[in-house]
Amino acid sequence: MSFAGELRVDWATSLSLVGTVLKALTVPLVGTALVALWYREPLAPFLATAVLTLAAGVALERLDRDDLGIREGFLMVALTWLAIAVVGAVPFLIASEGNLATPVNALFESTSGVTTTGATVVENFDAHGRSIHLWRSLLQWMGGLGILVIAVAVLSQLSIGGAQLMETESQTQDVNKLTPSIEATARLLGWLYAGLTGLMVATWLALGAVGLGPEVTLYDAVAHAFTAVSTAGFSPRAESLGAFSPAVQWATIPFMFLGATNFVLLYHLTRGNLSRLVDSDEFRFYLAVVLGLTGLTAGFLVASDQFTRIEQVARHSLFQVVSILTTTGYATVDFVDWSPAAKHMLFLAMFSGGMAGSTTCSIKTLRWLVVVKSFRRDLFREVHPDAIRPVRLSGQVVDEEVVRDVYAYVLLSGIIFVLLTVFVVTDAARVGNGIGEFEAMGASAATFLNVGPAFGDAGPYGSYVGFPWTTKAAFILLMWIGRIEIIPVLVLLTPAFWRS
């Protein structure tokens, strides 16, 4: 992307927009304080943070604001996620409960929350009050909502990340046609997001009312709805979804799946237009990957005699594949104890992600679909060198520059993953904390691709607290980079970005 002829970066505009976001954060902070009041827990962690956040937001918002250009958009996206993560860590530090009482752990948990990763350093869940657990869930819900709004209001205008592909699929164009303004479109998708959250709350409460989910409380329903629809995965329960009945686990699968489905397609579905979903190449590919990995995982579980009943095999394999592939990160069992073959299926699922235009993370199925289609096209050209055969998505031709960008993104993701894995192993050896290669690969993928649980000590019923603080700092950085899809951060590091 060329920046020639453009003005220098307008820091004031970017920081002013970040200030607006910080002001808005006071609302969930005060809301969580009310929950703390209800449960007779300390109010200071949330009210003190709200005051500090409001003051910082007002000060930044007063800076002179101009039109949002390309450079200011990149800077605003990067700074917004960073600022929310820092603010989100403050209640943990003030509460000073359990492992979250130290700055690195608090920032790790907050960053994991707002990036919808779901990796945690919490070991003793009972050491933290309900309000702190709700704040963890709220951070993830806001992170999921934020990526939807920014994708529509900012990224689609800057043509970065998956926005070009979404336009090729005619999805971004449709987004901008849904309402007369980008702001109204973002609000519309926000209401759809909130509606899906409310539907999950109602579903859980209904299961509890009819006796199919006797463990479910209103608090559980709300906390898990926040983290399922956002495909994020924090749970106030140490056993995650394993603390609930099979009926509740089955009922949660569709919400994780829908949270990772393109929200523009979901909007058309609410209008009764099922054909838009069925005709989407990406949706069909997404569904095929989920079913394919589920079938393989189920087969490996049967071969290893992991479960005694078919229903258990079907439920746990489907739940865990959907949970990991959509980057939610819930668990119904400790899959660390699964056979190596079954665990490797989940490891592969980490690199998929759901659809573009959703709350999911990782590489995303749209990019993988472009890779598959372009590779098939290249094989065809080997046999027919004179043939002209463009890559198409849902009938639309994908520009060759976009295809090259996709290959570059996938390659860059692979390089970062490998480098992070090497760092994790090396850093663990430095402090005498040996870690296996597969565990290091799992933790690296789970943080950089924003999945959450990994294997070994960082498994679904473990935590990341045992890693050296330097490794956790690297995870914090990579969770942030992975959530905003690498490019905005790398652009900030280029000299051309800062030159006139």
Side-chain angles (χ1 to χ4, degrees):
M1 182 178 292
S2 174
F3 296 99
E6 295 186 19
L7 300 176
R8 289 184 182 275
V9 179
D10 184 357
W11 277 88
T13 296
S14 299
L15 290 174
S16 178
L17 289 169
V18 172
T20 301
V21 174
L22 291 181
K23 281 179 57 180
L25 272 181
T26 59
V27 176
L29 281 165
V30 172
T32 311
L34 294 176
V35 173
L37 180 64
W38 176 264
Y39 287 109
R40 298 182 179 180
E41 296 173 352
L43 304 180
F46 310 104
L47 293 183
T49 305
V51 172
L52 294 173
T53 304
L54 181 61
V58 169
L60 290 175
E61 195 177 39
R62 287 181 177 177
L63 296 173
D64 293 333
R65 184 184 301 185
D66 205 345
D67 292 335
L68 183 69
I70 293 176
R71 300 187 186 195
E72 291 74 27
F74 278 119
L75 187 59
M76 191 275 284
V77 168
L79 290 180
T80 296
W81 248 251
L82 187 61
I84 297 174
V86 171
V87 170
V90 177
F92 299 144
L93 289 173
I94 296 177
S96 296
E97 297 171 348
N99 293 334
L100 301 183
T102 63
V104 172
N105 284 349
L107 186 58
F108 181 98
E109 196 78 7
S110 179
T111 304
S112 179
V114 74
T115 60
T116 68
T117 302
T120 184
V121 292
V122 174
E123 287 183 303
N124 182 5
F125 280 69
D126 294 333
H128 306 279
R130 287 175 176 255
S131 55
I132 287 293
H133 281 302
L134 183 64
W135 179 241
R136 294 169 69 238
S137 297
L138 259 176
L139 281 173
Q140 296 200 315
W141 193 79
M142 290 186 293
L145 176 62
I147 201 63
L148 281 178
V149 172
I150 287 182
V152 172
V154 180
L155 300 188
S156 63
Q157 305 304 304
L158 303 181
S159 295
I160 65 174
Q164 294 162 311
L165 289 176
M166 289 176 64
E167 185 173 351
T168 302
E169 274 271 66
S170 298
Q171 292 166 353
T172 296
Q173 294 174 358
D174 287 343
V175 166
N176 296 331
K177 291 178 181 178
L178 293 180
T179 63
S181 69
I182 293 175
E183 293 82 4
T185 299
R187 192 178 302 114
L188 176 65
L189 294 183
W191 279 113
L192 179 60
Y193 182 72
L196 195 58
T197 304
L199 181 60
M200 179 169 166
V201 172
T203 301
W204 271 45
L205 292 178
L207 290 174
V210 298
L212 293 177
E215 316 87 353
V216 173
T217 65
L218 176 60
Y219 177 87
D220 285 319
V222 172
H224 288 90
F226 281 162
T227 59
V229 175
S230 61
T231 60
F234 274 163
S235 172
R237 301 288 193 111
E239 306 87 354
S240 187
L241 268 286
F244 300 95
S245 67
V248 172
Q249 294 170 8
W250 279 113
T252 305
I253 294 173
F255 292 99
M256 294 189 292
F257 184 85
L258 291 175
T261 303
N262 185 287
F263 268 64
V264 177
L265 295 182
L266 292 183
Y267 169 78
H268 286 291
L269 185 62
T270 62
R271 302 294 297 271
N273 191 353
L274 180 62
S275 62
R276 291 299 300 272
L277 197 67
V278 175
D279 294 339
S280 169
D281 283 352
E282 187 193 5
F283 178 77
R284 294 198 299 269
F285 182 73
Y286 169 45
L287 183 60
V289 172
V290 168
L291 295 178
L293 284 176
T294 299
L296 289 171
T297 303
F300 292 133
L301 290 178
V302 169
S304 62
D305 293 325
Q306 197 76 39
F307 300 101
T308 57
R309 293 187 289 114
I310 294 298
E311 185 275 336
Q312 290 178 314
V313 172
R315 171 163 45 88
H316 292 307
S317 58
L318 179 60
F319 188 100
Q320 292 305 158
V321 166
V322 171
S323 176
I324 298 299
L325 187 144
T326 62
T327 71
T328 304
Y330 285 150
T332 52
V333 293
D334 190 357
F335 53 72
V336 170
D337 297 328
W338 285 7
S339 68
K343 285 191 290 188
H344 276 75
M345 291 300 99
L346 298 184
F347 178 70
L348 289 177
M350 291 181 177
F351 291 85
S352 174
M355 297 179 68
S358 70
T359 64
T360 195
C361 307
S362 193
I363 293 173
K364 295 185 174 64
T365 51
L366 190 55
R367 291 191 179 96
W368 285 119
L369 183 57
V370 170
V371 169
V372 170
K373 284 178 172 283
S374 61
F375 184 67
R376 289 175 55 191
R377 186 269 307 272
D378 292 343
L379 290 178
F380 181 82
R381 280 183 173 176
E382 290 295 322
V383 181
H384 306 282
D386 296 327
I388 299 176
R389 189 174 183 177
V391 175
R392 296 177 182 273
L393 287 177
S394 300
Q396 302 294 317
V397 174
V398 180
D399 188 271
E400 287 302 314
E401 182 178 354
V402 174
V403 175
R404 289 193 296 271
D405 288 345
V406 168
Y407 272 107
Y409 186 93
V410 174
L411 176 62
L412 183 59
S413 297
I415 292 173
I416 293 175
F417 161 70
V418 171
L419 292 177
L420 181 58
T421 300
V422 172
F423 176 80
V424 170
V425 173
T426 304
D427 201 38
R430 176 185 62 83
V431 299
N433 183 15
I435 181 174
E437 291 182 359
F438 183 64
E439 285 75 17
M441 292 169 62
S444 299
T447 50
F448 169 54
L449 300 174
N450 307 110
V451 175
F455 306 98
D457 291 340
Y461 291 166
S463 81
Y464 286 74
V465 73
F467 286 96
W469 75 266
T470 44
T471 297
K472 284 185 281 192
F475 287 156
I476 291 170
L477 176 64
L478 269 297
M479 284 189 286
W480 172 57
I481 292 175
R483 174 72 275 192
I484 56 180
E485 302 205 337
I486 306 173
I487 304 301
V489 176
L490 293 186
V491 167
L492 293 179
L493 300 177
T494 60
F497 180 84
W498 304 101
R499 290 199 300 260
S500 59

